């Protein structure tokens, strides 16, 4: 199976929201009741029913005001913290394509993934008692098609292709616009990349993480404490079995009749 990357060139985004609409249509997600919050960003944030969002950021710097429009959705991490944190097998899975998909049939609504994600992506529904997020249109890319958001983009801001090809394209475009590729953390790679304009600092944008990484608490629990817990449970079960083999089953004793009793 080919591994893919979605590349987002912020120098080409016009904030048209075609990707937002395409995501809603393809995944059959209902519209949300929203109101004016002082920004063109609408809805105000990602949610259980909004997996893709155009964020609007007004950034003041020495050269004046920069208005940045950014496509925001799941980053489809190479080593997903959400998958590592999830205690329910099958609820969150990283596929060979690079897409991290969720299956509501196995989700137990524990919200461990929402706490673990370094990009604040999985969203919980109290009504459904489950989480949901972008799947990179796994059902489309395994059928030889591009994600719905990429197909709908009219400016070429969103492109999609095999990993090696897109990494080369990202580096070439970043050099052309004198920008940077984000995130390029060798210790925490993603299958979604951004071309950040030269004048924009990642830390200035909403819901970004300049240094994404696997939360230390997840590593401690999964790699240290959980194995010791399982060893402890196994030891208790083994001790119980040994006691049964050596002493045999516990037999109840008949109560002694006291003098004068029946």
């Amino acid at each position: 199976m080919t591994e893919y990357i979605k590349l987002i060139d912020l120098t080409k985004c016009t904030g048209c929201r075609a990707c937002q609409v395409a995501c809603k249509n393809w995944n059959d997600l209902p519209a949300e009741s929203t109101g004016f919050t002082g920004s063109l960003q609408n809805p105000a944030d990602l949610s259980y029913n909004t997996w893709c969002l155009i964020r609007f950021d007004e950034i003041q710097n020495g050269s004046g005001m920069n208005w940045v429009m950014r496509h925001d959705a799941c980053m489809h991490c190479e080593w997903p913290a959400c998958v590592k944190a999830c205690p329910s097998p099958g609820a969150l899975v990283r596929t060979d394509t690079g897409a991290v998909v969720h299956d509501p049939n196995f989700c137990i609504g524990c919200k461990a993934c929402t706490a673990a994600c370094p990009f604040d992506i999985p969203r919980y529904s109290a009504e459904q008692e489950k989480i949901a997020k972008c799947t990179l249109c796994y059902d489309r890319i395994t059928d030889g098609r591009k994600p719905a958001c990429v197909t709908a983009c009219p400016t070429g801001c969103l492109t999609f292709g095999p990993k090696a090809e897109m990494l080369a394209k990202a580096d070439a475009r970043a050099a052309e616009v004198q920008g940077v590729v984000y995130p390029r953390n060798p210790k925490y790679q993603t299958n979604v990349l951004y071309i950040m304009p030269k004048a924009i600092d990642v830390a200035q944008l909403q819901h970004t993480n300049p240094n994404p990484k696997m939360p230390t608490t997840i590593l401690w629990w999964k790699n240290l404490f959980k194995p010791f817990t399982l060893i402890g449970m196994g030891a208790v079960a083994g001790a119980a079995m040994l006691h049964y083999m050596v002493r045999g089953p516990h037999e109840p004793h008949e109560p002694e009749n006291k003098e004068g009793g029946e």
Side-chain angles (χ1 to χ4, degrees):
M1 186 70 72
T2 302
E3 188 172 352
Y4 297 97
I5 278 183
K6 180 169 74 173
L7 181 61
I8 305 167
D9 187 346
L10 295 189
T11 67
K12 296 182 179 181
C13 183
T14 62
C16 70
R17 296 192 184 92
C19 55
Q20 238 179 259
V21 175
C23 179
K24 286 274 188 181
N25 286 340
W26 180 256
N27 294 293
D28 195 24
L29 300 172
E32 298 188 51
S33 177
T34 62
F36 183 63
T37 59
S39 168
L40 291 177
Q41 186 172 304
N42 188 34
D45 203 355
L46 294 170
S47 72
Y48 183 83
N49 291 317
T50 298
W51 300 355
C52 159
L53 178 69
I54 292 293
R55 294 193 183 276
F56 290 80
D57 287 284
E58 295 179 355
I59 299 173
Q60 184 74 44
N61 56 31
S63 59
M65 178 72 74
N66 281 306
W67 197 24
V68 181
M69 293 156 283
R70 181 173 68 90
H71 168 96
D72 188 23
C74 180
M75 297 295 286
H76 298 280
C77 305
E78 189 82 16
W79 308 286
C82 61
V83 175
K84 188 79 171 175
C86 181
S88 179
L92 283 163
V93 177
R94 186 186 186 275
T95 69
D96 292 338
T97 64
V100 178
V101 299
H102 68 277
D103 188 334
N105 294 313
F106 297 104
C107 180
I108 59 175
C110 67
K111 297 186 280 187
C113 59
T114 64
C117 178
F119 300 103
D120 188 27
I121 293 297
R123 297 305 167 103
Y124 176 75
S125 167
E127 180 181 354
Q128 302 294 331
E129 296 185 334
K130 296 180 184 296
I131 66 98
K133 67 171 195 67
C134 160
T135 63
L136 200 61
C137 284
Y138 180 73
D139 50 347
R140 290 176 61 92
I141 64 179
T142 51
D143 194 34
R145 292 181 285 177
K146 297 178 181 180
C149 60
V150 176
T151 302
C153 181
T155 66
C157 168
L158 302 179
T159 52
F160 183 80
K163 184 174 183 177
E165 175 187 326
M166 298 307 289
L167 287 174
K169 182 176 180 178
D171 290 333
R173 179 60 179 168
E176 181 182 349
V177 300
Q178 297 183 326
V180 297
V181 179
Y182 165 80
R184 289 301 287 273
N185 181 351
K187 295 183 179 181
Y188 199 85
Q189 300 179 28
T190 62
N191 285 72
V192 175
L193 295 174
Y194 287 94
I195 304 297
M196 290 287 182
K198 180 181 179 181
I200 303 303
D201 183 354
V202 173
Q204 295 175 299
L205 302 178
Q206 304 176 61
H207 293 267
T208 54
N209 187 336
N211 185 33
K213 59 183 178 179
M214 185 77 70
T216 305
T217 51
I218 301 299
L219 293 174
W220 285 351
W221 167 243
K222 290 290 184 175
N223 296 338
L224 182 61
F225 296 126
K226 186 176 180 180
F228 276 118
T229 301
L230 295 176
I231 291 172
M233 292 173 62
V236 171
M241 180 61 70
L242 180 62
H243 180 274
Y244 180 85
M245 294 173 64
V246 174
R247 300 292 299 273
H250 176 74
E251 296 181 358
H253 298 284
E254 293 292 336
E256 298 180 0
N257 289 330
K258 293 183 179 181
E259 187 176 345
E262 294 182 0

